[in-house]
Amino acid sequence: MTEQLFFYNTMSKAIDKIEPVDDKEMKMYCCGPTVYNYAHIGNLRTYVFEDLLAKTIRLAGYKLKHVMNITDVGHLTSDADAGDDKMLLAAEREKMQVLELARKYEKVFFEHTAALGLNRPDIVARATEHIQEMIDFVKKLEEKGFAYFSNGNVYFDTSKFPAYGRLSGQDRTELKHGARVEQDSNKRNPSDFVLWFTTSKFENQVLQWDSPWGRGYPGWHIECSTMAMKYLGERLDIHCGGIDHIAVHHENEIAQSEAFLGHKWVNCWMHAAFLQMKDGKMSKSKGEFLTLDTLIDKGYKPEHYKYFCLTSHYKTSSNISFEALDAAKNSYESLISKVKELKQLASDNNAVDVEQENSCINKFNSFMFNDLKTPQALAVVWEALRNPAMPPKSKLNFIEHIDKIFSLSLEKIIKETETELVLPDEISRIIEQRQQARISKDWKTSDELRDVLLAKGYVIKDLANNQYQVFEKESN
Ligand code: AMP
Ligand code: ZN
């Protein structure tokens, strides 16, 4: 049995009833990180939204295939080849090979998303591992007359795709050279974009492949269309990203994919609004941005940031400040205290009220099934906790339910209070050695010992002031 889902669709500009294309499983593609630096907490807000979406779809009884790409090949700031190659600049800055750098930040990305309780997508596809498929895609666009070769690069001809601009509500012909897209005299139309580069202003561009057009590398947009189709087929239920992707990246993905397929590609386009700092938007390229590690260093737990994310709807832009984070921290910590208190009470009185439990669960679910209304869903949790007529055990059952979606480590806390984690002597000794290394700022040893602990089945999470938490690694 499946429940009805309603999500806001950027394409129809309305809340649409989601009708899966295929009754066996829903298909969702999310644009993934560009791995030349740490993801900032703004990026993470978008991944929190996508994880909530995936968990809500599954909660509604659907099977889901969730695919995400890793942009590990040069990502220019514009199609005109005029911006910086962020990957190359970062590799020079860190004196690393480009791919080595990409793997480093990909690893950290998944550590941060795991700390926020996000599941790894079912398929994580790296651009550099799908170059041949991208070449075949561009070849077919060329055969179908949608692509042209100009001064060393292959471009998509947007004049051949009349629907260009529908997602963002822009008229293609109104785009002027030098306005939104930087001028590139090789283009036939200002909105045209590069599918394959062989000429680049970066003479030391390291990642290059042979192609029918010469040695070069793919444009950014082509990677998403190619990998989405490879893993999800010709029709997608949902495609997501942050709102910055609407106007260029997703318009371009639609144009090349629908030109390739000859039919509609995606049913529902979903976009998360931005997280902003007081002084404007967060930007990786500006160099100054907050990461999850910055927050941890300042004494916050990943759950505090996760709770902060839940307090605003994904379609509303959210302003972060340390005051706002403190408020989320306080609410989360009182939630934890409440859960611990309920655990005590439930050990004396195991009575349940199934009707009340179900009513809370239904209310919570219905907010999530109707466009992921997390602030309202969170309010249902507090309402239940404050209800004197609801038995403690039922409150805990409800908390366990919501934690399957919100992933705030509440279930873990419920279980942990039942059985305190008893560490074997060997593990305690390694933790002690690691603490000594941390105190003397010997980060190399401390990292090595963290890996030793992980290999032995224990995850250690560093907190501020040399504090730490230790968990048994989950088998999944
Ligand atoms: P990037 O690694 O820059 O390609 O971005 C990864 C994801 O984060 C994309 O879905 C972006 O749309 C999204 N994003 C970028 N900046 C922000 C922000 N300040 N707030 C929320 N999401 C963002
Ligand atoms: Zn994409």
Side-chain angles (χ1 to χ4, degrees):
M1 240 267 295
T2 51
E3 302 286 338
Q4 196 56 67
L5 291 169
F6 296 88
F7 297 140
Y8 183 85
N9 184 350
T10 311
M11 184 61 93
S12 66
K13 301 186 179 36
I15 306 260
D16 282 355
K17 184 168 164 181
I18 303 302
E19 309 273 15
V21 182
D22 162 347
D23 55 10
K24 285 193 236 46
E25 66 179 6
M26 288 247 240
K27 297 171 200 318
M28 174 164 108
Y29 184 86
C30 302
C31 294
T34 310
V35 282
Y36 64 92
N37 207 331
Y38 297 102
H40 58 55
I41 57 170
N43 301 131
L44 292 175
R45 181 185 192 228
T46 293
Y47 298 109
V48 165
F49 145 69
E50 291 163 354
D51 180 73
L52 286 168
L53 181 59
K55 286 173 178 159
T56 300
I57 291 171
R58 291 189 168 116
L59 176 69
Y62 298 95
K63 277 187 82 176
L64 174 74
K65 195 167 181 189
H66 176 187
V67 178
M68 189 184 80
N69 65 303
I70 300 283
T71 302
D72 57 353
V73 54
H75 180 353
L76 307 174
T77 47
S78 91
D79 279 319
D81 194 18
D84 299 322
D85 182 331
K86 299 171 181 173
M87 209 61 117
L88 201 60
L89 284 183
E92 279 169 7
R93 183 184 72 223
E94 302 200 19
K95 302 197 179 8
M96 271 187 177
Q97 296 294 322
V98 174
L99 274 188
E100 200 188 338
L101 176 101
R103 298 299 172 260
K104 167 185 159 180
Y105 287 113
E106 179 186 319
K107 182 167 173 277
V108 179
F109 172 77
F110 284 113
E111 282 166 7
H112 286 179
T113 52
L116 290 168
L118 316 189
N119 287 341
R120 194 181 163 94
D122 303 297
I123 293 177
V124 174
R126 292 172 178 153
T128 50
E129 290 167 5
H130 296 79
I131 300 294
Q132 188 53 49
E133 289 94 330
M134 293 184 217
I135 292 173
D136 293 343
F137 200 116
V138 177
K139 270 202 314 217
K140 182 153 171 199
L141 288 175
E142 211 177 28
E143 280 159 27
K144 291 184 96 175
F146 286 98
Y148 60 93
F149 186 76
S150 174
N151 202 18
N153 294 336
V154 185
Y155 292 86
F156 184 90
D157 186 347
T158 52
S159 69
K160 300 271 171 65
F161 187 75
Y164 192 89
R166 226 175 24 169
L167 184 71
S168 50
Q170 312 171 83
D171 185 341
R172 189 187 63 79
T173 55
E174 282 171 8
L175 286 167
K176 300 211 171 35
H177 273 296
R180 181 175 59 85
V181 182
E182 281 175 70
Q183 186 162 349
D184 174 353
S185 56
N186 302 319
K187 287 183 185 183
R188 290 184 188 159
N189 311 287
S191 51
D192 291 356
F193 54 92
V194 181
L195 296 165
W196 187 268
F197 288 97
T198 72
T199 51
S200 167
K201 69 170 186 165
F202 309 111
E203 284 174 7
N204 49 349
Q205 175 76 32
V206 232
L207 295 177
Q208 297 209 36
W209 295 265
D210 288 329
S211 83
W213 313 280
R215 210 165 157 72
Y217 58 99
W220 168 39
H221 319 293
I222 198 72
E223 74 172 83
C224 286
S225 294
T226 306
M227 296 193 282
M229 261 181 234
K230 171 165 180 177
Y231 295 107
L232 296 170
E234 293 194 357
R235 291 175 198 272
L236 271 60
D237 292 292
I238 298 174
H239 192 314
C240 319
I243 44 164
D244 57 324
H245 284 348
I246 300 174
V248 179
H249 182 50
H250 287 168
E251 288 292 8
N252 294 354
E253 279 195 44
I254 294 170
Q256 65 202 5
S257 301
E258 298 197 354
F260 179 96
L261 294 167
H263 60 70
K264 183 176 171 183
W265 179 44
V266 173
N267 273 350
C268 185
W269 284 91
M270 296 181 71
H271 295 97
F274 264 30
L275 175 87
Q276 291 169 324
M277 299 287 288
K278 262 199 228 120
D279 54 350
K281 73 171 206 178
M282 285 230 158
S283 163
K284 266 196 233 185
S285 43
K286 277 193 217 149
E288 273 290 306
F289 58 87
L290 290 178
T291 67
L292 196 62
D293 288 335
T294 329
L295 300 188
I296 292 171
D297 286 346
K298 289 186 186 297
Y300 298 98
K301 295 181 196 157
E303 289 85 354
H304 298 151
Y305 179 62
K306 179 76 179 283
Y307 191 99
F308 168 82
C309 291
L310 297 173
T311 58
S312 62
H313 188 247
Y314 75 92
K315 271 180 79 310
T316 318
S317 56
S318 152
N319 287 310
I320 188 139
S321 61
F322 288 108
E323 294 77 40
L325 261 182
D326 285 339
K329 175 178 177 173
N330 290 340
S331 303
Y332 178 74
E333 291 304 327
S334 37
L335 185 57
I336 297 295
S337 310
K338 196 79 196 153
V339 167
K340 288 184 176 163
E341 188 187 308
L342 287 168
K343 190 77 200 160
Q344 292 275 315
L345 293 170
S347 63
D348 294 337
N349 174 6
N350 238 340
V352 287
D353 181 336
V354 178
E355 218 169 282
Q356 282 203 48
E357 255 175 57
N358 286 341
S359 144
C360 290
I361 289 174
N362 290 339
K363 253 196 202 167
F364 174 88
N365 289 359
S366 114
F367 281 126
M368 294 306 288
F369 295 159
N370 285 283
D371 208 25
L372 311 179
K373 294 194 174 63
T374 51
Q376 288 90 334
L378 207 48
V380 177
V381 176
W382 283 106
E383 209 180 286
L385 291 178
R386 293 190 183 115
N387 178 358
M390 191 164 172
K393 179 73 185 152
S394 287
K395 290 183 182 178
L396 286 177
N397 290 346
F398 176 48
I399 293 288
E400 286 196 38
H401 173 81
I402 69 115
D403 206 40
K404 295 201 182 342
I405 311 301
F406 282 175
S407 309
L408 286 165
S409 311
L410 302 172
E411 228 182 325
K412 203 181 275 172
I413 286 164
I414 294 173
K415 295 201 171 119
E416 257 172 25
T417 44
E418 262 170 5
T419 47
E420 281 294 328
L421 186 60
V422 181
L423 297 173
D425 287 349
E426 183 203 7
I427 301 299
S428 303
R429 267 198 307 277
I430 301 174
I431 292 176
E432 182 49 35
Q433 282 169 15
R434 187 170 177 274
Q435 279 300 93
Q436 292 305 329
R438 277 180 84 200
I439 290 163
S440 43
K441 300 201 187 313
D442 176 359
W443 307 124
K444 187 169 172 288
T445 308
S446 121
D447 282 353
E448 281 167 6
L449 291 174
R450 180 175 42 200
D451 291 343
V452 172
L453 286 167
L454 197 61
K456 291 184 182 290
Y458 292 86
V459 179
I460 192 150
K461 190 168 12 166
D462 292 332
L463 305 174
N465 305 324
N466 287 326
Q467 300 294 302
Y468 66 88
Q469 281 177 308
V470 61
F471 307 107
E472 263 178 309
K473 195 166 93 185
E474 284 169 17
S475 43
N476 55 3

